[in-house]
Amino acid sequence: MGEFMTETQQRPAGAGPSTETLERQGPIATETDAGPGPLDGPEAGVILERARASVDPELRAAIESLPPSLRRIALYHFGWQHPDGTPAAGNAGKAIRPALVLTAAAAVGGPRARAAAVRAAVAVELVHNFTLLHDDVMDRDTTRRHRPTAWTVFGDADAILAGDALQALALRLLAEDPHPASAAAAARLADCVVELCAGQQADTAMEKRDPGEVGLDEVLAMAEAKTGALLGCACALGALYASAAEEDVAALDAFGREAGLAFQLIDDVIGIWGDPSLTGKPAGADLAARKKSLPVVAALTSGGPAAAELAALYEVPYDKEDLQLTALAVERAGGRDWAQTQAAERMARAMQELARAVPDPEEAGGLLALAEFVTRRSN
């Protein structure tokens, strides 16, 4: 990361993508773009729908094994029940991470490997939702997937405990899986959870620090741990279940990490400028919490009057009347342009790693579609 960071920091914050990057990747979409990117259509959508259909039966079976009090919270969080326990046809999420597990397995080992990796895909989805339940409590987010978050309905303690239970279910699924890769997968997923927790801890600690104390290297490392690690782990688990060579497992892990960092960059952009009707979350929540998100840190470290203005705003408690002013200061200081440029650069690195593990473009097509989907998203 060090060499790439040095190269990136030579580019002024707010500078547009290089011609080479644009030719290679195309534009990174946000809610203000004219329309979805070319892979926001059927190809990625079919992959995600197929992944959801594959994992949901075993996912629900795992959740149904929980004690009733925890099961109720988990089923609500996944959108399958209302708060009173009655059935709901809700939104359980896009299934990006389980789709990466299954698609990586298929890319390296074919359809049989994909079928064998379903339990690993469910485990990754459980871990992801464990982090969401905890994140919502820590960030005090009140909406997710267009409905109240679990902690607002059931309380902090119950939401945290339900998240803990989901993590335990994930590791139990792998421990009980007779597949020869299950032990290595469980160890890798456990290591990933530790890295996720370290990334989240770093993120929350940054909120208490002076705006001028946080640098780009540090916040990028935090984002890789918090977001890139699980996407990388998902791809690596798929490769493990396909009996891939160690170097291919490592390359797919690196692919997922780079794509995950691109995902986080775009997610941070959406967190500031996104449309709540599309995202299901309030606009500007990260700014209100004075979070040191990637566009914000890029803006703070860019120098100039807009950076100074943003630093002054971040040094005082949040005032809702300043929200638009704060978002404008981030944009004027180059934070939005930097994040979109950096996302394109990270995607280019992801493609290089993918080509190492899966040199056949046709076999790599599903993973490429998913990677581009998450960086061309608007919600």
Side-chain angles (χ1 to χ4, degrees):
M1 186 188 296
E3 181 180 352
F4 178 70
M5 283 298 304
T6 302
E7 175 187 348
T8 302
Q9 288 172 352
Q10 290 172 351
R11 186 187 295 274
S18 65
T19 301
E20 179 185 0
T21 297
L22 288 174
E23 289 175 349
R24 190 171 52 223
Q25 293 301 126
I28 301 295
T30 68
E31 77 289 348
T32 59
D33 290 324
L39 289 174
D40 277 346
E43 186 177 358
V46 167
I47 294 169
L48 293 169
E49 287 175 11
R50 188 181 175 204
R52 177 57 71 197
S54 296
V55 303
D56 271 4
E58 189 145 2
L59 178 62
R60 290 199 69 152
I63 292 171
E64 291 289 348
S65 74
L66 291 172
S69 58
L70 295 173
R71 180 170 67 236
R72 179 183 174 191
I73 300 163
L75 288 171
Y76 170 81
H77 168 75
F78 277 97
W80 294 328
Q81 281 190 0
H82 295 295
D84 63 2
T86 56
N91 174 15
K94 297 182 179 68
I96 290 168
R97 290 153 192 85
L100 285 170
V101 176
L102 299 176
T103 308
V108 178
R112 286 191 177 184
R114 183 193 187 279
V118 168
R119 190 169 291 189
V122 173
V124 168
E125 183 73 339
L126 286 167
V127 164
H128 173 54
N129 282 275
F130 138 69
T131 68
L132 296 184
L133 283 161
H134 284 204
D135 282 355
D136 287 342
V137 173
M138 286 183 279
D139 295 342
R140 311 314 287 172
D141 285 339
T142 57
T143 58
R144 180 173 293 281
R145 299 167 183 161
H146 305 279
R147 67 200 311 232
T149 46
W151 73 267
T152 67
V153 176
F154 302 100
D156 289 2
D158 281 358
I160 291 168
L161 291 168
D164 293 341
L166 294 187
Q167 182 191 173
L169 282 180
L171 294 176
R172 189 182 76 187
L173 276 178
L174 293 177
E176 294 176 348
D177 191 351
H179 194 283
S182 62
R188 197 173 196 110
L189 188 58
D191 286 343
C192 179
V193 169
V194 173
E195 188 175 357
L196 289 170
C197 291
Q200 180 66 17
Q201 191 279 331
D203 188 24
T204 55
M206 284 178 191
E207 294 179 36
K208 303 172 185 176
R209 292 165 55 186
D210 184 89
E213 293 179 352
V214 180
L216 274 174
D217 284 5
E218 185 179 7
V219 76
L220 280 165
M222 175 274 293
E224 180 179 342
K226 184 180 173 184
T227 303
L230 188 55
L231 271 71
C233 183
C235 295
L237 261 58
L240 285 172
Y241 270 70
S243 303
E246 185 176 340
E247 59 268 25
D248 292 336
V249 175
L252 283 172
D253 185 287
F255 158 75
R257 284 175 177 271
E258 295 293 349
L261 193 45
F263 175 97
Q264 186 62 56
L265 285 153
I266 296 304
D267 196 62
D268 284 355
V269 169
I270 293 170
I272 298 174
W273 295 282
D275 181 348
S277 68
L278 295 175
T279 66
K281 299 175 70 173
D286 287 353
L287 296 181
R290 298 302 189 238
K291 291 182 76 69
K292 310 300 191 300
S293 66
L294 290 158
V296 167
V297 175
L300 286 168
T301 57
S302 67
E309 178 188 359
L310 177 61
L313 288 165
Y314 253 56
E315 286 172 354
V316 298
Y318 166 68
D319 183 339
K320 64 181 180 180
E321 294 181 1
D322 290 339
L323 182 60
Q324 188 172 359
L325 185 62
T326 307
L328 181 60
V330 176
E331 188 157 13
R332 287 174 51 217
R336 185 173 186 165
D337 286 344
W338 175 88
Q340 292 181 313
T341 300
Q342 182 76 189
E345 296 283 358
R346 291 289 173 166
M347 274 293 293
R349 293 186 69 179
M351 295 308 100
Q352 292 171 0
E353 296 292 348
L354 178 58
R356 284 176 51 206
V358 191
D360 185 333
E362 185 174 347
E363 292 177 352
L367 287 170
L368 173 61
L370 290 174
E372 292 212 1
F373 173 80
V374 300
T375 53
R376 295 177 186 272
R377 58 197 280 268
S378 60
N379 57 69

